[in-house]
Amino acid sequence: MAGSLIKKRLAFIFAAALTVCTASLAVGCQPAEDKPVVKSGVYVSNQIEGTDPSEYVFCVSRQAKNAEELLSAINGVIKSTDCGSKLSAYIANTNRREFFLGEISIEYPEGEAIDICTSVYSPYQYSGPYGNGVDGLDVYLWVKAANTLGMKPAFYDFQYEYAYGAVRDGKYDVFATAVANTAEIQKDFYVSDVYSTGYQRIISDKNENYTKLDELKGKRIGVIANRPGETIVEEAIAGGALKDSGAVIVPYDTDAEGYAGLEDGGCDVLITDESSAKYLLNG
């Protein structure tokens, strides 16, 4: 009797221990909850995987009285200028008092004006309020074009959407602000040769280091309004990698405003052109 009772107790203890072990193993197999990334406060940029580069052009109004002359002049400047080298110089340039990289000047300030609409998108164009101190690669190239024509380059700093419509409708002569070449652009304007290309990049904290759109699910994604990055994110949310993911677009008029939004928490990441990203992170 005693031996039988001991055997029953041992069997019970073994079964209980086995149950505990099995439960422990089951818990151990459960995936750990995703923990929030501890941010470093240092930003990096990465090319968005699987996307094509944008090609940037200048737009001349189809209603400009000297449209053919303007187009010929800017294409000549593009051909004779190492635009990639100049763009790199503007990315590295932090001295905004040295206009046009200290290389050229407006030689014909009293000549007939070329009315040029721009919109802030560093390093293609950056400026102070209302266009004061306007500079950047686009401005550099159009000052050179104006000099070859003996004309005065007059720059007007507007939001992208307004500038687009104003030049298309003939209120101004030129739209110069890293305009990505598209079928719509070709329809609405006379278009210059391509003078710059660039992939869209994700700016994020270095501890996040995002490279893919599907990593941005549920994120507030900062974009520059009317630029290629906005189109890429819109398409991803509508029917691509971010569909039904909870991701939302936070548009900004300029890359400077977008970067400020990233720093103050208005968005979780910022998408912009690679040259813009390099300029923002250099400053």
Side-chain angles (χ1 to χ4, degrees):
M1 287 289 294
S4 176
L5 184 60
I6 291 172
K7 287 181 180 179
K8 288 181 179 180
R9 287 178 178 175
L10 288 174
F12 175 79
I13 292 169
F14 177 77
L18 183 61
T19 300
V20 171
C21 289
T22 302
S24 298
L25 287 171
V27 170
C29 291
Q30 298 298 317
E33 293 185 4
D34 291 335
K35 295 182 179 180
V37 174
V38 177
K39 295 189 178 184
S40 66
V42 177
Y43 295 105
V44 295
S45 76
N46 293 302
Q47 177 184 321
I48 303 175
E49 292 185 18
T51 58
D52 297 322
S54 302
E55 295 184 330
Y56 296 117
V57 295
F58 295 117
C59 301
V60 176
S61 175
R62 291 183 175 273
Q63 299 182 50
K65 64 180 181 180
N66 56 345
E68 186 175 333
E69 186 180 21
L70 293 174
L71 200 59
S72 177
I74 194 61
N75 282 339
V77 169
I78 291 170
K79 185 176 180 180
S80 64
T81 304
D82 184 347
C83 294
S85 175
K86 297 304 177 192
L87 188 61
S88 295
Y90 270 112
I91 290 171
N93 182 33
T94 56
N95 180 14
R96 293 194 177 186
R97 295 181 181 180
E98 186 178 45
F99 294 113
F100 317 129
L101 302 174
E103 297 175 4
I104 58 175
S105 62
I106 299 175
E107 297 177 6
Y108 299 94
E110 303 304 324
E112 183 181 356
I114 307 173
D115 292 326
I116 305 167
C117 284
T118 64
S119 181
V120 173
Y121 200 50
S122 308
Y124 296 96
Q125 193 269 50
Y126 53 79
S127 69
Y130 311 108
N132 294 325
V134 66
D135 202 351
L137 178 64
D138 290 10
V139 179
Y140 176 98
L141 295 176
W142 272 101
V143 167
K144 289 187 72 173
N147 286 347
T148 66
L149 294 170
M151 300 180 71
K152 175 183 177 179
F155 295 99
Y156 301 88
D157 185 22
F158 296 122
Q159 292 180 349
Y160 185 102
E161 188 173 10
Y162 177 84
Y164 185 112
V167 176
R168 180 197 58 207
D169 297 341
K171 296 177 182 178
Y172 300 87
D173 300 314
V174 173
F175 185 31
T177 177
V179 180
N181 197 10
T182 63
E184 183 179 15
I185 292 292
Q186 294 279 349
K187 176 177 67 72
D188 288 343
F189 305 96
Y190 294 122
V191 175
S192 76
D193 295 337
V194 174
Y195 69 97
S196 180
T197 61
Y199 285 92
Q200 298 303 301
R201 288 184 166 235
I202 304 171
I203 300 179
S204 63
D205 190 274
K206 73 174 184 177
N207 289 347
E208 296 168 325
N209 204 33
Y210 297 127
T211 62
K212 302 175 183 177
L213 287 175
D214 63 11
E215 295 176 316
L216 306 183
K217 295 174 180 178
K219 301 293 184 184
R220 296 167 299 160
I221 305 172
V223 300
I224 315 306
N226 303 294
R227 303 284 184 175
E230 182 177 44
T231 301
I232 289 171
V233 177
E234 284 177 341
E235 292 175 351
I237 290 176
L242 296 175
K243 185 180 172 105
D244 300 325
S245 71
V248 295
I249 292 175
V250 183
Y252 295 95
D253 285 329
T254 71
D255 56 337
E257 292 173 354
Y259 191 64
L262 180 63
E263 290 189 305
D264 66 21
C267 60
D268 299 312
V269 298
L270 177 66
I271 292 181
T272 188
D273 173 80
E274 67 177 276
S275 294
S276 168
K278 289 176 182 177
Y279 184 88
L280 292 171
L281 298 185
N282 178 64

